[in-house]
Structure formats: structure tokens, C-alpha cells
Amino acid sequence: MRIHGSRSAPAVIALALATSLSLASCGGGGERPNTDVGKGTGPVADPASPQTVTFFSWVGNEPQMKKMAAEFHDKHPNITIKFENAPAEQAQQVLSTRIAGNTAPDVAYINASDTNDYAARGALVDLGGYMSRSQVVKPDDYVDGFKTFVTWNGKMWGLPFDGETTGLFYRTDRFKEAGLAGPPKTWEEFKAAAAKLTDAANGKYGFEMFASEAAYYFYPWLYQAGGETLTQDGKDVAFDSAAGKTAAAFYVDLAKYAPRDYFNSNSYDGRVAFAKGDVAMYVAGAWFAGTLADEYPKITGKWAAAPLPDGAAGCKTTIAGDSLVMFNKTKVSDAAWLWMEFLSQPDNLAAWTYKTEGTLLPPTKALLGSDDLAKEKPVLKPFADLMACGVASAAPNPKYPRIETVLNEELSKAIYGEQTPAEALDNAATQGRAILARG
């Protein structure tokens, strides 16, 4: 599920969970994808007559996207890109409604974690045929975590386009005041630092938590403890394992070091507490670095980023991203592919991600490890390095978004102290297994 990093304001997880729920239950399922689309030999040729490719997204008004569309049209004069825009927080619902009404666009920019759900409902084109003919798009070029998002039943149904990893932001000034030499590297150090940085009587806290985003920010701890969301075959809930309960106990206990007033907030709105110095540690994606630099330049030099502390399973972190997909109702699939392929050129991926004022990461190994990224956007280097530890929260079952909604609700109750962490996982697992059992 894509939570943060959108070119507009980051999406609130509560909205994302709700729209994922409606997405999973809306119509459009059961269709068989056209497996012949993209088959052939040699590079895809331009159309002989004018064609229009509809492109759905919440980024169509971005200057860089408009610039790339103009450059594309110059190279492919018979293809016009028609932007169809929706607000980021409404995009999933709008697109799902269009799929159900058989009015899907040709291409869309979507939350990468939604790709397998659309694919499972037969709404997308298997891109294998096109990729086999491309000199630009090669599956092995993509970071494994990003590729996981767009893979279903062993096939790629989307092209990773941008993303981020989740890391630790910390106030270096608050750490210095508390006598802490640097960021915590283990769970034990993290909890000890959170306690030392907390002075609730004076409105100072070590950490910030958001009950409305409980599931998403639980996942790094789950993976670090050696747990998983679902079993490998995707047929059963796995987060209620012993490892999962260890992670939940640690995660929920951090609430005592967090300002309760922000529990019902979200991680975008909650940025204010970190900016003011009321909170010393903040777990977020790379988007947060850009937000701090843009909105709070006065605290530059008073914060830094670091990897999340290691758990029993070592270095693990969540990743999120966006992908490009082609819908199987398209009548201009070759032209649509040429647009997707153009956007996937290395210079365009760089221009869209780290060579802008934002802090998105490119999805390819070559760009992530490049000297150019470190030079152009040094603040992104720790997050690029974290990609080796990235785990894609794309559970192998299209019903998982509904389970995640339940998990979020139950963990939220635990954060508020209404039940124990173990009870939260048990309750979520019981409801999750009922969801999996339904047809």
C-alpha cells in the first residue's frame, strides 16, 4: 500500500485503508486478461496514424510530467498523451469505479501495492511480452522489493516508477541535550533513548506514534522480529506468530514515550511535533526529508536520518512506491507501452525522483547506487542504502487490504490501551482468517 511520498500531500493511511477496502470489493473481477498483448519480435513501432493514450494519475499537473509528455510527443508525433487527473486521496476509488464501469484508462500511475489486486481481477495487461522486446525495460534492473509490488502469479503487471524506504529521523539537538551520542542501532537502544528523551511534564517526548496508521508502522518491527503478514503461499494469516507478538509488544509499548494528543493524527500532520522539537524520534519514509527541508528550513542542521534499529532478524524496513500499469481494455496497447517505456528511461526516472525538489527514490539498482544520486540529493543516500533491507508490504493475496484494515483497527485499540498487543493480533487474525475463508 502506498502511504507516503505522493507528489501531492502524502495520503492519510486511514483513507488509503478505506479505499483499499472498497477497491478489493468493487466490481470488475473475474475477467481473463488478454495474454496476446505485447507479443511479437523487435522494438514496438510507432502507430501509422494518430492515437491518443489516456493516462490516469494524481501527478498529471506536475511540471515535470508535462515536460516529459511534451518530449514524448516530439519523438512520437502520432501519439498524444491525454492526462486524466484525480486528487491523490480519491484516486483509488475513482479508478476502481472506472474499472467496474468498463471505462478504465489506457495507462495509470498507481500505488504499487495495489497492482496485484488489479491484476488478480483481470484488469491489467501482463507486460512480459513488451518487456521481452524492450531495450529499456529489463525486469532484473529493478530492486527486488519494488519488483515484488508489481508481481502476481509470477508475472509483472506493472513497471516500478518511484518509491521510498522507511527510516529513522531524529533531532540531533535533542539527542545532544540528553547526552546521546547517536541514533539507536538496536531495539534495546531505541527504547532506552525514547525513555531518556521523554519528559511528559514539560511536553517533550522520545517518539511519535499514530494509531490511525498503526498497521503500516508496525510492519518494520514485525519484519525485524522475523515475522510476516501472511504465510508464503498467501493462504493464512502469519502476523499472530510468536515473532509477531514480540514485535507488537515492543511497538505498542512505545506509546508511553509518545504524545497522546497525536495518536489520532497521521504522520503527515504529525510532522509539526517533530519540527517544534517536542518529539525527538520519528519513523517515516524519505518523503519526510523533503518536507522538513521545504517547510521547516530553520531546523536544518538540527535533524538527521538513519536506518531503523535492527531486530532479531537484522536490518529490515518497509518500502512503498508507485507503478505504471496498462489496463486490458486499451485499444492502443502499443502506443501505451511506448509511453510507459519512455517514462522508464533512466534519465526520466532520475528527473522524476531525485533530480527534483522532492525526495523520491528511483526503482532501479543502477540509479540507486549511482554517484549521481549521492551528489544530487545527499539526504537520500541513507534511504537508498536501506533498499537492501527493504521488504515490500505486498502480501500475496488480493484480500489482504481488507485484513490490513482490521489489523489497523485492532492495533489502534492496543495503542490507546483498550486491549493488549497480543489480543490485538489474535482478534485481527481471527477476523482475517474469516476474510480469507470467504469466496
Side-chain angles (χ1 to χ4, degrees):
M1 173 181 305
R2 178 71 166 148
I3 307 301
H4 300 296
S6 302
R7 287 294 177 131
S8 58
V12 178
I13 193 171
L15 288 172
L17 288 168
T19 49
S20 290
L21 178 58
S22 62
L23 180 153
S25 59
C26 74
E31 293 189 45
R32 287 189 176 184
N34 184 348
T35 56
D36 292 327
V37 176
K39 287 188 175 179
T41 58
V44 174
D46 276 33
S49 58
Q51 292 183 356
T52 296
V53 173
T54 54
F55 181 55
F56 178 90
S57 75
W58 57 91
V59 296
N61 289 322
E62 290 287 331
Q64 180 59 37
M65 185 59 72
K66 289 183 176 181
K67 180 175 181 287
M68 291 191 292
E71 292 172 351
F72 175 79
H73 187 64
D74 287 343
K75 294 182 178 181
H76 305 276
N78 270 345
I79 305 175
T80 298
I81 303 303
K82 180 183 178 183
F83 291 108
E84 297 179 341
N85 302 317
E89 66 273 13
Q90 299 173 18
Q92 288 173 310
Q93 184 59 55
V94 171
L95 189 53
S96 293
T97 300
R98 290 187 57 179
I99 293 171
N102 292 319
T103 59
D106 299 308
V107 177
Y109 169 97
I110 65 170
N111 291 336
S113 57
D114 292 332
T115 306
N116 60 11
D117 188 36
Y118 289 126
R121 293 190 282 129
L124 301 182
V125 169
D126 169 10
L127 300 176
Y130 282 123
M131 288 190 293
S132 69
R133 302 166 61 185
S134 178
Q135 297 300 310
V136 174
V137 178
K138 298 296 181 184
D140 289 344
D141 290 345
Y142 294 110
V143 173
D144 289 343
F146 285 152
K147 191 161 64 173
T148 296
F149 277 130
V150 300
T151 301
W152 183 72
N153 273 0
K155 298 178 180 180
M156 284 181 64
W157 303 84
L159 302 182
F161 192 54
D162 59 44
E164 63 185 17
T165 57
T166 300
L168 175 66
F169 292 83
Y170 64 102
R171 290 289 302 242
T172 53
D173 52 351
R174 289 281 313 276
F175 268 59
K176 185 176 180 180
E177 291 169 3
L180 296 169
K185 296 181 179 179
T186 66
W187 282 20
E188 292 74 19
E189 290 180 6
F190 189 92
K191 183 166 286 190
K196 194 167 187 179
L197 291 159
T198 297
D199 180 4
N202 289 307
K204 300 294 183 181
Y205 295 88
F207 188 51
E208 190 161 10
M209 294 185 72
F210 309 99
S212 64
E213 300 181 7
Y216 184 75
Y217 287 108
F218 165 62
Y219 290 145
W221 310 109
L222 173 66
Y223 299 140
Q224 289 169 20
E228 295 290 344
T229 52
L230 294 180
T231 54
Q232 191 170 4
D233 61 9
K235 294 181 180 180
D236 193 17
V237 168
F239 53 68
D240 60 338
S241 64
K245 289 181 177 178
T246 296
F250 176 83
Y251 171 61
V252 170
D253 189 56
L254 293 174
K256 70 171 98 172
Y257 310 117
R260 192 177 181 88
D261 289 349
Y262 281 90
F263 284 178
N264 199 40
S265 183
N266 62 75
S267 57
Y268 183 69
D269 293 339
R271 72 200 187 284
V272 178
F274 184 84
K276 290 166 60 180
D278 294 343
V279 170
M281 293 190 293
Y282 198 101
V283 171
W287 64 271
F288 193 50
T291 296
L292 290 175
D294 292 344
E295 297 184 5
Y296 304 101
K298 290 183 179 180
I299 65 169
T300 298
K302 296 181 179 180
W303 63 270
L308 294 179
D310 288 355
C315 175
K316 301 286 183 183
T317 188
T318 48
I319 62 174
D322 300 299
S323 66
L324 304 171
V325 297
M326 185 190 305
F327 288 91
N328 69 348
K329 296 295 184 181
T330 181
K331 299 286 197 278
V332 291
S333 61
D334 283 1
W337 169 255
L338 288 172
W339 170 235
M340 296 171 71
E341 185 180 53
F342 175 80
L343 292 177
S344 300
Q345 291 176 0
D347 56 340
N348 286 331
L349 290 177
W352 180 250
T353 54
Y354 66 88
K355 288 192 174 181
T356 68
E357 61 279 356
T359 48
L360 291 171
L361 292 169
T364 61
K365 299 171 186 174
L367 287 175
L368 274 173
S370 69
D371 292 337
D372 190 49
L373 182 147
K375 177 183 175 182
E376 290 280 343
K377 199 64 68 78
V379 72
L380 279 182
K381 186 65 167 62
F383 295 93
D385 293 343
L386 269 173
M387 194 56 65
C389 308
V391 179
S393 295
N397 192 306
K399 295 180 181 179
Y400 189 74
R402 282 176 276 175
I403 299 173
E404 185 175 59
T405 301
V406 173
L407 177 61
N408 196 73
E409 292 171 351
E410 296 298 333
L411 283 173
S412 177
K413 293 175 186 176
I415 289 172
Y416 275 107
E418 298 171 9
Q419 61 184 350
T420 68
E423 288 170 341
L425 294 191
D426 286 341
N427 290 337
T430 297
Q431 296 173 69
R433 290 188 173 101
I435 291 170
L436 291 172
R438 292 198 289 268

